[in-house]
Amino acid sequence: IKEAKTDTGMNLCLEGKAVYPQSVDQEVPDIYGDKVVWMQQGNDYYYKIFLGNLGTGQSRQIGKSTAAEKYPAIWENKVIWMDYRSIMDDPAVQNKYAYIFKYYDMYGYDLEKDQEFPICTNTEWQGYGDIYKDHVVYADLRTGSPDIILYDLNTRKEYAICLNPAWQGNPVTSGQYVIWMDQRSGNYDIYGFDLTTGREFPICTAPDNQAYPVIYGTKVVWQDMRNGNDDIYLYDLATHQETAICTAEGKQQVPDIY
C-alpha cells in the first residue's frame, strides 16, 4: 500500500486503486496484517490518525486530540503517533502553526481496549517513532539536540539509546536492534544499538549521506548518496555484509523491507 495522487487528492492506493477514497490528503501509511494506519488532513488543516481494515474496507479515526497528529506506526493492536495537543493548553502561542516541533509529544492507542495513552509528554518535542511489540522508539529533544529514546509499554519505563551531542533521528526497531540516522561525523550515517548486549555500533559511515533506514529481522536498508545520487544499500547484521541493492542512474529513495 502506498500514497499516490488520485482525482480526489493524495490517497492510499493498493494495486493502483484508492483504498479509502477521500477528497483530502492521506499520507504516511503503516501496515500490520490487514490493519493500516495513516495521517489524514482535516477541514481545519490538522492531520488526524486513521485506522483502516483492508479485509472489510472500513476505516475510522482514532485518538482524541483536537490538534495535529502525525506519523503513525502500528504493531499488532498498538498504534503510536506524534501529537500536537500540548500547544492547545498554552495561551502564549496564538498561531496554531508556530513552534510546531517544540510541542510534539508521543501518544499511543490500544485497539483492543479502545484506549488512548501518553508515551512521552516531556516539555521538549518527541516524535518520528516506531514500534515493535512492546518497544517504542522515538527522537527526543530534551537535551538540546535530538537523541534516541526507547519506551517499554510493559514496564512503562524509558531508556536512553543514544545521547550523543550530535543530531540523531528517524529511529526504527525490530526486536533486538534499534537503528537510526546519526550526524556525529558531520553528515548523516546509519548507527545501531543491540538491546541484548547494550552495545552501540556503526552500520554505515560511507562518504556523504546515508538516510531513512528501515529494518526487518537482521536486514537494514537505507538510501545512500556515496555515489553522487541516491542509491539503495542493505546491511545484514547477522553476516556483517553490505550489499548494493540498486545503484542505477537517477534517484532511488525511501526504501522498505519485509
Side-chain angles (χ1 to χ4, degrees):
I1 192 164
K2 63 179 181 179
E3 55 190 72
K5 191 71 174 179
T6 68
D7 292 338
T8 58
M10 188 69 72
N11 282 184
L12 301 187
C13 293
L14 184 65
E15 297 179 346
K17 296 181 180 179
V19 182
Y20 307 103
Q22 295 286 335
S23 58
V24 294
D25 287 346
Q26 302 166 330
E27 301 178 39
V28 197
D30 194 33
I31 189 169
Y32 184 90
D34 61 359
K35 300 183 188 75
V36 58
V37 292
W38 67 92
M39 63 187 209
Q40 180 169 305
Q41 194 172 42
N43 294 330
D44 58 0
Y45 298 100
Y46 282 153
Y47 283 92
K48 305 296 184 183
I49 304 303
F50 278 73
L51 167 77
N53 186 299
L54 295 173
T56 65
Q58 296 180 331
S59 65
R60 66 183 178 94
Q61 183 181 339
I62 61 174
K64 300 177 180 179
S65 175
T66 58
E69 302 164 327
K70 290 186 174 183
Y71 300 102
I74 184 171
W75 179 269
E76 293 183 343
N77 289 303
K78 300 290 196 311
V79 182
I80 65 165
W81 65 85
M82 294 169 59
D83 195 292
Y84 188 29
R85 73 184 64 185
S86 61
I87 196 173
M88 307 301 285
D89 299 324
D90 189 344
V93 181
Q94 301 299 321
N95 184 342
K96 64 182 177 181
Y97 301 110
Y99 310 113
I100 189 166
F101 291 110
K102 180 176 181 179
Y103 287 89
Y104 273 121
D105 298 314
M106 289 296 301
Y107 274 77
Y109 200 91
D110 188 319
L111 299 175
E112 286 187 334
K113 298 179 179 179
D114 197 25
Q115 183 177 350
E116 184 183 274
F117 56 90
I119 295 171
C120 185
T121 58
N122 188 274
T123 52
E124 290 294 345
W125 72 258
Q126 297 83 40
Y128 303 102
D130 192 29
I131 182 172
Y132 180 86
K133 295 187 177 179
D134 293 310
H135 287 168
V136 178
V137 293
Y138 49 92
D140 191 299
L141 195 62
R142 73 185 69 181
T143 65
S145 64
D147 299 314
I148 306 301
I149 304 294
L150 180 146
Y151 182 82
D152 190 312
L153 295 173
N154 270 339
T155 65
R156 299 182 182 180
K157 291 184 178 180
E158 230 179 34
Y159 301 90
I161 299 298
C162 182
L163 300 179
N164 187 282
W167 185 99
Q168 290 89 38
N170 295 88
V172 291
T173 185
S174 178
Q176 184 176 342
Y177 302 101
V178 179
I179 312 297
W180 66 90
M181 293 168 54
D182 196 297
Q183 206 178 20
R184 71 185 69 182
S185 70
N187 56 269
Y188 293 119
D189 298 315
I190 307 298
Y191 273 73
F193 187 90
D194 188 325
L195 295 172
T196 302
T197 65
R199 183 179 66 91
E200 179 186 285
F201 54 92
I203 292 173
C204 183
T205 58
D208 218 313
N209 290 324
Q210 291 79 46
Y212 305 114
V214 290
I215 183 172
Y216 181 79
T218 63
K219 294 180 173 62
V220 182
V221 294
W222 65 90
Q223 70 182 54
D224 195 302
M225 277 284 292
R226 74 181 72 178
N227 300 316
N229 60 280
D230 286 316
D231 298 317
I232 305 300
Y233 278 75
L234 177 147
Y235 185 84
D236 192 321
L237 296 167
T239 64
H240 307 290
Q241 295 294 315
E242 182 182 271
T243 304
I245 299 297
C246 183
T247 58
E249 294 183 2
K251 295 181 178 181
Q252 296 82 45
Q253 296 176 319
V254 195
D256 204 354
I257 186 172
Y258 179 78

